[in-house]
């Protein structure tokens, strides 16, 4: 079993730990966090230090790492941590909960997380560090770009393309063939029937752009 260190001791870590435990592929050696107290536990796993110790963790023989900091509005910290881990030399796997249903010919990027009771259907692409949260459905031939977060219960219909660093809120529905740009936010429960540009906040039924997201 490969040893893995987790980076981030917040709420997202709980979901990821549970998924790692479900698949039995990795042994968690501990968690690093900039703000937590060394010795504190997240589920059964200890905070072993801040991010400064990650070089020594790698040198000790732990070659796998995973970013367990979540994101809603800003993905900059996740990107910073991802780049730091890559520079150290860690392998950053995709973590897929065993309760998910992954179709054939699906591509999962580095550091992607696919949570409980999700569906990712055939020929879809899930980019690096994307989060497909609890109960979300990604239909066939979709493209979810890097660092994008698909919230719990969201439904992404077939042939949808969602850009990088975008957030689709819980229980939103994106109709087939829609294109959503980079760095945008789609409000929870929205019904997206038309394309949404980059760098906007949009919500409602039907979903409409309400302001810029600079």
């Amino acid at each position: 079993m490969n040893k893995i260190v987790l980076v981030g001791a917040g709420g997202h870590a709980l979901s990821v730990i549970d998924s790692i435990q479900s698949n039995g592929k990795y042994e968690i050696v501990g968690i690093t966090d900039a703000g937590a107290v060394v010795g504190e536990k997240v589920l059964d796993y200890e905070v072993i230090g801040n991010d400064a110790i990650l070089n020594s963790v790698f040198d000790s023989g732990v070659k796998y790492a995973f970013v367990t900091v979540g994101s809603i509005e800003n993905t900059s910290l996740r990107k910073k941590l991802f780049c730091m881990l890559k520079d150290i030399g860690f392998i950053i796997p995709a973590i897929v909960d065993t309760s998910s249903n992954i179709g054939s010919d699906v591509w999962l990027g580095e550091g992607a997380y696919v949570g409980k009771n999700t569906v990712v259907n055939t020929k879809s692409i899930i980019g690096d560090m994307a989060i497909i949260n609890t109960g979300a459905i990604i239909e066939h031939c979709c493209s979810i770009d890097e660092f994008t977060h698909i919230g719990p219960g969201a439904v992404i219909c077939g042939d949808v393309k969602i850009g990088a660093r975008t957030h689709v809120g819980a229980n939103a529905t994106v109709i087939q063939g829609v294109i959503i740009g980079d760095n945008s936010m789609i409000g929870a429960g929205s019904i997206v029937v038309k394309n949404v540009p980059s760098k906007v906040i949009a919500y409602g039924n039907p979903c409409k752009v309400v302001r810029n997201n600079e």
Side-chain angles (χ1 to χ4, degrees):
M1 188 181 298
N2 293 309
K3 293 182 178 181
I4 192 168
V5 61
L6 306 183
V7 181
H12 186 53
L14 297 172
S15 297
V16 175
I17 288 170
D18 203 42
S19 295
I20 290 173
Q21 290 176 326
S22 79
N23 62 39
K25 292 181 179 179
Y26 302 100
E27 175 190 349
I28 299 169
V29 300
I31 304 167
T32 66
D33 191 277
V37 176
V38 173
E40 285 186 349
K41 287 192 174 182
V42 181
L43 294 181
D44 293 325
Y45 301 97
E46 284 193 1
V47 174
I48 57 176
N50 61 30
D51 299 341
I53 72 166
L54 286 166
N55 280 289
S56 62
V57 171
F58 181 81
D59 291 341
S60 76
V62 178
K63 301 305 180 186
Y64 289 81
F66 197 82
V67 177
T68 45
V69 173
S71 68
I72 295 179
E73 294 185 8
N74 193 328
T75 62
S76 60
L77 178 56
R78 280 174 58 78
K79 185 172 183 179
K80 177 183 177 181
L81 294 172
F82 175 75
C83 292
M84 177 185 67
L85 293 172
K86 292 282 288 181
D87 287 345
I88 292 170
F90 282 106
I91 300 166
I92 307 174
I95 298 295
V96 179
D97 195 274
T98 55
S99 66
S100 65
N101 191 336
I102 308 296
S104 61
D105 201 18
V106 167
W107 188 86
L108 298 174
E110 291 181 286
Y113 174 66
V114 181
K116 288 186 179 300
N117 298 313
T118 53
V119 175
V120 181
N121 219 330
T122 184
K123 294 189 178 296
S124 286
I125 297 170
I126 309 299
D128 293 347
M129 295 292 289
I131 296 172
I132 312 300
N133 222 325
T134 307
I137 296 174
I138 311 296
E139 262 300 343
H140 63 84
C141 305
C142 287
S143 176
I144 311 299
D145 212 338
E146 62 180 9
F147 295 95
T148 284
H149 183 170
I150 307 300
V155 177
I156 312 300
C157 296
D159 297 297
V160 166
K161 298 185 185 304
I162 301 178
R165 302 171 300 279
T166 284
H167 181 88
V168 177
N171 291 314
T173 298
V174 182
I175 298 302
Q176 61 268 18
V178 163
I179 299 172
I180 299 174
D182 302 333
N183 298 296
S184 286
M185 293 188 66
I186 306 299
S190 296
I191 308 296
V192 186
V193 298
K194 295 181 179 180
N195 293 350
V196 177
S198 297
K199 297 182 179 180
V200 299
I201 294 173
Y203 54 80
N205 180 9
C207 186
K208 295 180 180 179
V209 174
V210 293
R211 61 182 182 274
N212 290 332
N213 186 34
E214 298 294 345

